[in-house]
Amino acid sequence: MMQMNQWRRVPLPGYRFWSGTSHCNDGQRALFFEMSLDDSKPRKIEKIFGYKDLSIKIYYTAGHLNTYVGTEYTAKVDQKKFDVKADNLMKPLSNVLPPGFTTSLDEFCSVLEKEGPFKPMGELLNVFSTKDKDGSLRNFEVYSGDVDTEGFKSYHERIQTFILFFIDAASFIDVDDNKWRFFFVFEKYIKDGTQDYAVAGYATIYEYYAYPEARRPRISQMLVLPPFQGCGIGSKLLKTVYDAYIPDKAVRDITVEDPSEDFVRLRDFVDCSHCMKLEPFSEENLKKGFSESMATEARLKFKINKKQARRVYEILRLRATNVHDEDEYKKFRIAVKSRLNIPFQKVEQQIKKLEGKSVSEEEIKAIVDYKSKEERLEMLDKEYKQLEEEYNHVISRLEKIVD
């Protein structure tokens, strides 16, 4: 007899992209790539109740992103016996999947046969190649457009589904706002003797106003689909975004909205690879400390804001530092910790002001984020060590392009 606890909540499935129609009906199709959700990062939508051995299959065509959703399970909870209903499988999915998806594999295969080669829309901005693990060359193209570009709005509506599963706390954007700009990267390949395209990733940029007559683009979302990760596509896409805005004198700088750890590393790498070519970031100047010329050059040449320019300086200075030279290494650590200590200094200033107003110690602790000297030093040391580890990841990647 089946027990109630066997109807546990199960994670949603992986995805497949399809690029051919051979053996479609028996499910043994030629597939472009396959990926699975990251179960280590639980999300609300990933849990479904009431099924045993549940499998949900979501198929996308590689270029057009036409979609099929299929479900399989060995048993379903008996509502009469347990007085509970199994979750509706399609309702939550229909809220996030591209409109017009099918639950019929035969219909999906029929769509595949009729759709023909995919042609990217928008303006072609960049063409590049990368090497696969087996040494074979793969070719990519980056296209850009806005909400008025024919086909962009509906295509973004299809691809944005992926961010819910691969970017923490992601949400859909209001594409009716004409300040959005889109960048799509596609792999160009030959299928059955015909040129075709498969989507590999995309980025969305919102162009904010900057006083008095400037713009400040903010990178809102950026995703490289898992099978394409690890071969430099992310950095190529980000550099293409930079290249699109760098010549525009009306653009003050480029910012990022709530970046993930992975994106922070990617941005650091791209920004450092740019700035290490600038004179203010030479090894000699790096050891003199952060300067206004660094911030100015980074902004004028690459639209990098001052806060990020400071981070770039620290990474490049660590790269130029002989960590085996105690004096040289100590000077670097002091330079970084002096910045990390600024929030604590501001708190100390607040405390002095409050003490001047005869506020009691208990009241001060309730008003400000009070930390003892020992606590501050411990926090500084921990934060510094974490930063140095992050910086070394970027430096390791920089060494590969220098070599």
Side-chain angles (χ1 to χ4, degrees), residues 19-70:
S19 62
T21 57
S22 59
H23 306 102
C24 184
N25 291 327
D26 66 7
Q28 301 301 313
R29 309 196 35 221
L31 49 89
F32 183 64
F33 64 71
E34 181 177 352
M35 55 188 168
S36 299
L37 292 175
D38 184 354
D39 293 333
S40 67
K41 298 178 180 179
R43 297 170 177 84
K44 190 174 182 180
I45 197 172
E46 290 178 18
K47 303 298 180 180
I48 292 178
F49 171 77
Y51 303 86
K52 183 180 180 183
D53 301 323
L54 174 64
S55 171
I56 302 177
K57 300 175 181 178
I58 304 178
Y59 299 163
Y60 286 80
T61 56
H64 295 272
L65 296 182
N66 288 309
T67 314
Y68 160 77
V69 181

Side-chain angles (χ1 to χ4, degrees), residues 61-79:
T61 56
H64 295 272
L65 296 182
N66 288 309
T67 314
Y68 160 77
V69 181
T71 60
E72 295 177 358
Y73 49 87
T74 57
K76 183 177 178 180
V77 68
D78 189 328
Q79 184 179 355

Side-chain angles (χ1 to χ4, degrees), residues 93 155 220 244 284:
L93 288 171
Y155 195 75
S220 174
E284 180 184 354

Side-chain angles (χ1 to χ4, degrees), residues 301-346:
K301 294 289 176 35
F302 299 112
K303 307 297 183 183
I304 298 171
N305 61 53
K306 187 173 183 178
K307 182 179 179 181
Q308 178 65 6
R310 167 75 196 210
R311 185 175 172 95
V312 168
Y313 148 76
E314 291 177 0
I315 295 171
L316 294 181
R317 180 166 177 181
L318 176 59
R319 179 174 176 266
T321 296
N322 179 2
V323 295
H324 301 294
D325 184 320
E326 183 54 40
D327 183 59
E328 189 175 336
Y329 188 28
K330 182 179 181 181
K331 287 178 180 177
F332 168 76
R333 296 198 304 272
I334 291 173
V336 175
K337 288 184 177 181
S338 64
R339 176 182 63 81
L340 298 178
N341 193 45
I342 291 174
F344 295 115
Q345 291 176 330
K346 289 181 178 179

